[in-house]
Structure formats: structure tokens, C-alpha cells
Amino acid sequence: MLIHAIQALKSQPLDQQQAWQSMLEHYLLENDHDPARHIPTAARGILGDYTDQLSLKVHQWLTKLLS
């Protein structure tokens, strides 16, 4: 996944890299807030608790998408 991110983002203009950086920090790296707090728990999907069931669904979705 890291190699894909490098490939996809490294060649982008600086302003687009900065936009992606902001999104990644907001959703992945900032642990002092919940970016999905405004979404009902049952509707959070990938932003919710990462359970084994959710992990399987994401894996299946990615497998289908990449096939």
C-alpha cells in the first residue's frame, strides 16, 4: 500500500500533495479527535471500529476492485 501511495502521490503538484496530507492526517494520524463522530455508529463503515467482520468486507471489496 505504501508503494502505491508513493507512486500515486509523489508526482503530484505540491498543492495536491498537501491536500492529501491534510486528509491523511485527519482520517489516519490525528488521534486526538474522532473524524466520524457526526456519523451514527452503525453507519460509520470503514471509519468505525475495525472489527474482523469489517476487515473481511474491506478485503473482499478490494479484491473485487483489483480483479
Side-chain angles (χ1 to χ4, degrees):
M1 185 178 293
L2 178 59
I3 291 173
H4 179 71
I6 291 169
Q7 179 185 24
L9 300 175
K10 191 71 171 174
S11 63
Q12 297 298 313
L14 183 59
D15 62 327
Q16 289 186 19
Q17 289 181 16
Q18 290 170 335
W20 276 106
Q21 180 179 3
S22 293
M23 285 193 294
L24 292 171
E25 287 175 354
H26 179 74
Y27 287 105
L28 299 175
L29 305 174
E30 298 275 334
N31 292 322
D32 62 343
H33 72 283
D34 179 5
R37 67 181 170 270
H38 64 287
I39 302 170
T41 303
R44 290 184 181 182
I46 194 96
L47 295 177
D49 293 333
Y50 209 73
T51 63
D52 289 341
Q53 181 181 7
L54 179 58
S55 178
L56 178 61
K57 285 182 180 182
V58 170
H59 178 76
Q60 290 171 338
W61 175 74
L62 286 171
T63 299
K64 183 179 178 182
L65 186 67
L66 296 173
S67 296

